Amino acid sequence: MKNKPVLSVIIVSFNTKEIIKRCLDSLYQFTSGLDYEVVVVDNSSRDSSAEMLSIFEQGHKNFKLIRSTTNIGFGPANNLGAKEAVGEYLLFLNSDTFFIENNLPHCIAEIEKNKNIGVYSCNLTNKDGSHQPSGGYFPNLGRLFAWQFFIDDIPPFSNLINSIHPHTSRKQPDWVTGAFMMIPSKIFWAAGGFDEKIFMYTEELELCYRIKKLGRTVIHDSQTSIIHLGGASGGNYLAITAEVAGLLYFWRKHLPRWQLPLVKLFFFVGSLLRYVIFGIIKANATARQAYSQILRLLVRQIGGLA
């Protein structure tokens, strides 16, 4: 009987045919000296991604394609892939990432050095090679206030405040972005996997919160890098609106309920400021649409605990 692979790479595909093909080609090109498998979950793509992936599967013995009949969301699709994975470690990898070096053996070695690691992430760079911040800190009232009122964007506060959103990457953040998350399989399932009530955005933050509750650490390793395009599968509008909804859900699930009226108030004022600055003054149609939707959502919720 063949030994189980050390690593299972799990990728969710949704309407990114050309990008995920490039991602897979780079993965197979640059990964050597490691026993691994690749599990791709196609989230009911409409751009013939699934057909391309089916052909790709025929030429790669360590590749498995799972086709969902509906778009079940990023976290649930990752859970679906993880259920089929058999590796000791799970690497949740975005379809808009590209390998530029044989770094997965290094990543495995680093995570095996410290058995207390619950989540490991490597360095992310933009296409031009510039650094892309990855990893922030869990929400609380102070951090939310600083974010919504732009305080954590102003020096020297930007260097003093442990922001919810990453400004610079630090070695031990609270959470890392889901573009590259390596997690021991046992830890992933001990934490319960991704929360399937979160369709997309904030799901990695919420998962890291539960993993840290198990006493495990979250590590960002700056010694090795991959390219991350960012936004190819979601888009800015979805990112803006879904993040606020996700953080409201996170607060209801994990933090004191008495804070919710203040949380909604901070989001309301912050969204109104962004609607005026980005949507009206800077005439950004995406920002105008996104923040107007958030404001309508908050108006319905303001003063309530739902």
Side-chain angles (χ1 to χ4, degrees), residues 3-173:
N3 292 332
K4 291 182 178 180
V6 173
L7 179 68
S8 295
V9 182
I10 300 167
I11 307 172
V12 175
S13 166
F14 181 66
N15 294 338
T16 56
K17 179 182 177 181
E18 299 302 324
I19 290 175
I20 193 171
K21 179 61 163 58
R22 182 178 172 186
C23 172
L24 290 168
D25 286 342
S26 73
L27 170 63
Y28 280 94
Q29 176 185 355
F30 286 104
T31 301
S32 61
L34 181 68
D35 188 10
Y36 69 99
E37 66 171 354
V38 179
V39 180
V40 173
V41 179
D42 185 78
N43 241 347
S44 192
S45 294
R46 299 182 300 274
D47 66 347
S48 71
S49 291
E51 290 74 16
M52 179 276 293
L53 291 167
S54 181
I55 295 172
F56 192 92
E57 181 180 29
Q58 296 172 22
H60 299 81
K61 293 182 180 179
N62 62 337
F63 183 92
K64 181 183 296 183
L65 173 63
I66 301 171
R67 300 180 67 163
S68 176
T69 56
T70 58
N71 183 0
I72 58 176
F74 185 74
N78 271 313
N79 283 346
L80 187 61
K83 290 173 184 176
E84 294 294 324
V86 295
E88 182 180 355
Y89 300 100
L90 306 176
L91 171 58
F92 298 99
L93 184 71
N94 273 18
S95 62
D96 59 351
T97 57
F98 311 121
F99 288 83
I100 52 178
E101 59 184 346
N102 182 27
N103 54 3
L104 288 183
H106 164 84
C107 298
I108 293 291
E110 288 297 306
I111 200 171
E112 287 187 337
K113 283 181 185 177
N114 183 355
K115 295 299 183 181
N116 198 47
I117 293 177
V119 181
Y120 168 97
S121 179
C122 73
N123 193 45
L124 302 180
T125 68
N126 296 305
K127 195 174 182 179
D128 62 3
S130 59
H131 176 68
Q132 186 178 111
S134 173
Y137 293 85
F138 294 138
N140 60 33
L141 287 178
R143 290 170 184 161
L144 181 62
F145 183 87
W147 168 28
Q148 291 303 296
F149 291 89
F150 303 101
I151 296 171
D152 60 1
D153 290 322
I154 305 171
F157 301 108
S158 56
N159 296 321
L160 298 175
I161 297 172
N162 290 332
S163 304
I164 296 174
H165 278 147
H167 289 79
T168 59
S169 296
R170 301 185 185 181
K171 186 174 182 180
Q172 291 194 25

Side-chain angles (χ1 to χ4, degrees), residues 231-278:
S233 299
N236 290 333
Y237 173 78
L238 178 60
I240 293 169
T241 56
E243 182 181 37
V244 173
L247 286 173
L248 288 171
Y249 172 77
F250 177 89
W251 235 285
R252 290 193 295 269
K253 181 176 179 179
H254 294 293
L255 299 178
R257 291 183 67 85
W258 65 264
Q259 296 181 2
L260 271 173
L262 283 174
V263 170
K264 294 172 186 177
L265 178 62
F266 292 168
F267 269 130
F268 182 85
V269 178
S271 297
L272 184 60
L273 286 172
R274 286 161 175 79
Y275 178 83
V276 173
I277 295 170
F278 302 117

